[in-house]
């Protein structure tokens, strides 16, 4: 299949006075697996439907390989879409479901037989052609929906929350299969999800949307390590966000007045100056090191805060603690090892924060 690019230039869409998409600028490379990530109502599914042609933007351009497809109707765009509900015909066999698009295009019987057979083999359902959707599991139904889409050889593949109806274990299996299939076909794919783990484990790059605005675009590691604002920091992974104010910087030390905690002094390079003013100090729970209160600091490079365990969650690989530090809650994840006790609520601890992992975000 040919690899094509997609570009959105200043795309805006409103329903009445409600702005759903606001000045979206986005470039997706040929053959890329790209994820649109955001909460419900962020505009990600609207953007996907707009690409498919089911919605119409009022401003901007939508380009596929440099051609503006804004005025091209959905059936003429040759874009395949897999819906959350799979949208299979229950009275038709698996074979007939997959063949439907080819029949509508008036392909020859030999071409239909060859293409449907190849598509079903590709998704591992070569022996299921005579069954009906009601006789299949959720994962198998999703494979049928994928086969029905790829059999028409679309220029773009759009996936709208395709894994949300599956249980957790099957979701993990199917996202691996999706990624493998996409790599095999080399098909430019756009995957809409509200699940950060799905986006981070499948996509080459992703874009985070909130309230119709594109917040940040890039590889998962870039968004996780270097979020541009509080929303991205809190949505891509889990983040501690200490509100406060950058008070000043001198002699390689940054002074930050954290609300409910007090002044923190962090080693900070002079070549990375920060403007004084309101900010949020962001760091990840797994970057917090815990040790018993009163213990000498193991790592003098860390900034140490005194806290008390308020609650504990055992998550298997890690134990997650909510700590009361001053008047602020800090979340800390500690790797769990067999036989290692879990800290009880009320335990006094010291929290060590590595300044190299800290990000300061605008208020």
């Amino acid at each position: 299949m040919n690899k094509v690019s997609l570009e959105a230039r200043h795309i805006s869409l409103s329903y009445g006075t409600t702005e759903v998409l606001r000045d979206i600028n986005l470039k997706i490379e040929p053959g890329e697996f790209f994820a649109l990530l955001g909460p419900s109502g962020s505009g990600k599914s609207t953007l996907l439907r707009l690409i498919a042609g089911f919605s119409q933007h009022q401003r901007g351009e939508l380009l596929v390989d440099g051609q503006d497809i804004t005025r091209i109707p959905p059936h003429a765009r040759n874009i395949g879409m897999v819906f959350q509900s799979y949208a299979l015909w229950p009275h038709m066999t698996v074979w007939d479901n997959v063949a439907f698009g080819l029949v509508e295009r008036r392909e020859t019987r030999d071409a239909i037989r060859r293409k449907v057979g190849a598509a079903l083999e590709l998704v591992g359902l070569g022996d299921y052609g005579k069954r009906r959707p009601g006789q299949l599991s959720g994962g198998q139904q999703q494979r049928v929906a994928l086969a029905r889409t790829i059999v028409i050889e679309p220029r773009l593949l759009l996936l709208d929350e395709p894994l949300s109806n599956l249980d957790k274990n099957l979701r993990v299996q199917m996202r691996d299969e999706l990624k493998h299939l996409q790599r095999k076909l080399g098909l430019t794919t756009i995957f809409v999800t509200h699940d950060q783990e799905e986006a981070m484990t499948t996509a080459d790059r992703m874009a985070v949307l909130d309230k119709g605005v594109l917040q940040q675009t890039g590889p998962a590691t870039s968004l996780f390590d270097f979020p541009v604002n509080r929303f991205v920091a809190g949505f891509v992974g889990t983040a501690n966000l200490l509100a406060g104010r950058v008070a000043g910087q001198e002699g390689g030390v940054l002074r930050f007045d954290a609300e409910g905690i007090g002044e923190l002094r962090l080693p900070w390079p002079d070549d990375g100056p920060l403007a004084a003013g309101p900010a949020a100090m962001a760091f990840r729970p797994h970057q917090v090191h815990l040790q018993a209160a009163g213990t000498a600091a193991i790592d003098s490079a860390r900034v140490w805060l005194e806290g008390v365990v308020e609650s504990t969650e055992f998550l298997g690989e890690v134990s997650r603690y909510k700590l009361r530090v001053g008047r602020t809650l800090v979340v800390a994840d500690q790797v769990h090892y067999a036989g290692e006790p879990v800290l009880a609520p009320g335990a006094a601890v010291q929290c060590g924060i590595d300044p190299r992992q800290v990000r300061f975000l605008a208020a």
Side-chain angles (χ1 to χ4, degrees):
M1 295 183 181
N2 293 330
K3 299 179 180 181
V4 301
S5 64
L6 174 80
E7 186 174 4
R9 295 180 180 171
H10 303 291
I11 293 290
S12 294
L13 172 64
S14 299
Y15 295 133
T17 59
T18 302
E19 289 185 296
V20 182
L21 296 173
R22 290 190 279 171
D23 197 31
I24 300 293
N25 290 280
L26 184 65
K27 177 71 180 288
I28 298 173
E29 300 297 333
E32 190 171 25
F33 198 134
F34 195 92
L36 296 174
L37 179 66
S40 297
S42 62
K44 58 188 186 299
S45 290
T46 300
L47 180 56
L48 200 73
R49 293 177 63 83
L50 188 151
I51 296 168
F54 301 145
S55 299
Q56 185 70 51
H57 51 280
Q58 287 97 10
R59 292 182 298 279
E61 296 176 296
L62 188 63
L63 310 175
V64 173
D65 264 2
Q67 177 192 10
D68 193 347
I69 63 170
T70 299
R71 304 303 173 191
I72 297 178
H75 69 273
R77 294 189 180 191
N78 195 27
I79 293 175
M81 187 165 181
V82 176
F83 298 92
Q84 180 178 350
S85 64
Y86 312 141
L88 301 176
W89 298 102
H91 64 286
M92 289 184 178
T93 64
V94 166
W95 182 279
D96 289 337
N97 266 283
V98 176
F100 184 81
L102 300 177
V103 173
E104 288 293 302
R105 293 183 176 193
R106 301 182 183 278
E107 299 242 3
T108 66
R109 288 186 178 181
D110 286 344
I112 292 173
R113 186 181 305 111
R114 174 174 49 83
K115 291 182 180 181
V116 172
L120 287 176
E121 288 293 338
L122 190 63
V123 298
L125 293 177
D127 297 329
Y128 289 73
K130 294 182 179 179
R131 299 193 186 186
R132 299 189 189 278
Q135 297 173 298
L136 304 178
S137 68
Q140 290 168 336
Q141 290 183 47
Q142 192 217 45
R143 291 191 187 99
V144 175
L146 277 169
R148 182 186 57 188
T149 302
I150 62 178
V151 77
I152 64 170
E153 299 177 349
R155 294 194 293 171
L156 289 169
L157 176 60
L158 309 181
L159 306 171
D160 190 6
E161 301 268 12
L163 309 180
S164 60
N165 292 331
L166 307 178
D167 62 48
K168 182 177 181 181
N169 290 337
L170 190 53
R171 281 204 308 273
V172 173
Q173 176 188 337
M174 290 306 301
R175 77 187 185 205
D176 290 342
E177 292 185 14
L178 272 176
K179 189 171 183 178
H180 174 74
L181 180 62
Q182 190 272 339
R183 293 288 187 268
K184 188 172 183 177
L185 295 173
L187 187 59
T188 306
T189 301
I190 306 172
F191 178 34
V192 159
T193 180
H194 65 275
D195 187 318
Q196 55 177 283
E197 185 175 310
E198 286 181 3
M200 295 171 73
T201 54
T202 57
D204 300 310
R205 290 188 305 139
M206 59 187 188
V208 177
L209 286 89
D210 182 44
K211 298 176 182 176
V213 176
L214 190 63
Q215 303 291 322
Q216 188 173 356
T217 302
T221 52
S222 177
L223 272 64
F224 186 85
D225 292 338
F226 302 99
V228 297
N229 56 37
R230 296 189 190 196
F231 178 81
V232 175
F235 197 80
V236 181
T238 303
N240 290 296
L241 297 170
L242 305 185
R245 182 180 182 84
V246 174
Q249 183 177 350
E250 57 186 28
V253 175
L254 177 78
R255 292 183 294 111
F256 180 70
D257 292 327
E259 294 179 8
I261 295 177
E263 184 179 87
L264 306 180
R265 300 175 68 86
L266 295 83
W268 204 260
D270 289 332
D271 59 354
L274 290 175
M281 177 176 157
F283 53 95
R284 303 290 182 181
H286 72 276
Q287 296 166 347
V288 180
H289 179 75
L290 293 185
Q291 62 184 41
T295 306
I298 298 173
D299 185 352
S300 60
R302 292 179 181 266
V303 175
W304 292 90
L305 306 174
E306 294 184 355
V308 176
V309 175
E310 281 214 344
S311 65
T312 301
E313 290 181 290
F314 177 61
L315 304 178
E317 292 86 354
V318 300
S319 294
R320 172 163 291 182
Y321 298 101
K322 290 185 179 178
L323 314 168
R324 177 65 61 180
V325 179
R327 299 194 307 274
T328 300
L329 278 179
V330 171
V331 178
D333 288 346
Q334 305 297 290
V335 175
H336 175 74
Y337 297 97
E340 187 173 279
V342 175
L343 296 173
V349 295
Q350 294 183 111
C351 318
I353 303 168
D354 185 348
R356 295 170 298 182
Q357 302 299 323
V358 169
R359 305 288 177 257
F360 284 95
L361 307 175

